[in-house]
Amino acid sequence: MRNIEIIIGSQMGSAEYVAEQLAEQLDASEFSTHLHEQPDLNACQHPLWLVVTSTYGAGDYPDNLLPFIEQLTQHDDLSHVQFAVVGIGDSSYDTYNLAASNCAQLLTDKGAQQLLPVLKVDVQDEALPEDAAIAWLPELTQQLSLAVQ
């Protein structure tokens, strides 16, 4: 059983719901997930991370993710981490999924290995955000299966 830390950044609940749906699907397969609704770097014990975050305001991180981002900023070496990011955003804003992109860049800058490009889910699309993320899940599980743990 492979362990995945699911780090949630959610202001209004959409990203949290998507993360819960992804966790349910992953738990039904060969993975064991650990949801972090109030993420803390010290609680992320396993090297596989899935960040699911919305963008709030003018491209900002959701409030619940801010302390975690501050911890990442102060951390020097995350080379043991392999990650993927799912962004939930609204393409009618010029800051569309900026928090997800910024989070991926921060993790990469700290030495973490990005497994896949950021999945940018648009709430303006006809598909529900969780359906778009679940459709992407086989691509993620393939990469997670190849990841070193």
Side-chain angles (χ1 to χ4, degrees):
M1 184 91 31
R2 310 233 10 211
N3 293 294
I4 302 172
E5 307 289 355
I6 300 182
I7 299 154
I8 302 168
S10 188
Q11 194 74 26
M12 306 299 284
S14 296
E16 182 178 358
Y17 185 72
V18 170
E20 290 168 351
Q21 296 302 304
L22 289 171
E24 187 177 299
Q25 295 289 318
L26 287 164
D27 285 337
S29 62
E30 62 195 79
F31 300 96
S32 176
T33 61
H34 308 274
L35 288 168
H36 300 275
E37 295 170 13
Q38 296 296 322
D40 183 319
L41 184 58
N42 296 321
C44 295
Q45 299 297 312
H46 302 99
L48 295 177
W49 292 6
L50 174 58
V51 179
V52 181
T53 187
S54 60
T55 296
Y56 184 69
D60 301 319
Y61 293 109
D63 290 343
N64 76 305
L65 195 60
L66 288 172
F68 183 75
I69 295 298
E70 182 61 31
Q71 289 176 321
L72 292 179
T73 302
Q74 295 178 8
H75 204 279
D76 291 330
D77 181 20
L78 293 173
S79 60
H80 66 286
V81 172
Q82 296 177 299
F83 73 94
V85 177
V86 175
I88 311 297
D90 184 332
S91 62
S92 67
Y93 291 90
D94 60 353
T95 57
Y96 173 61
N97 273 312
L98 189 59
S101 297
N102 287 344
C103 182
Q105 186 61 56
L106 176 59
L107 287 166
T108 301
D109 290 348
K110 297 296 181 174
Q113 178 189 353
Q114 189 168 352
L115 297 171
L116 292 168
V118 174
L119 173 64
K120 296 180 178 179
V121 177
D122 187 355
V123 297
Q124 295 289 329
D125 287 345
E126 290 181 22
L128 294 172
E130 60 272 19
D131 291 345
I134 289 170
W136 167 82
L137 200 55
E139 190 176 348
L140 175 64
T141 57
Q142 180 182 8
Q143 289 301 312
L144 290 172
S145 296
L146 299 173
V148 177
Q149 186 163 347

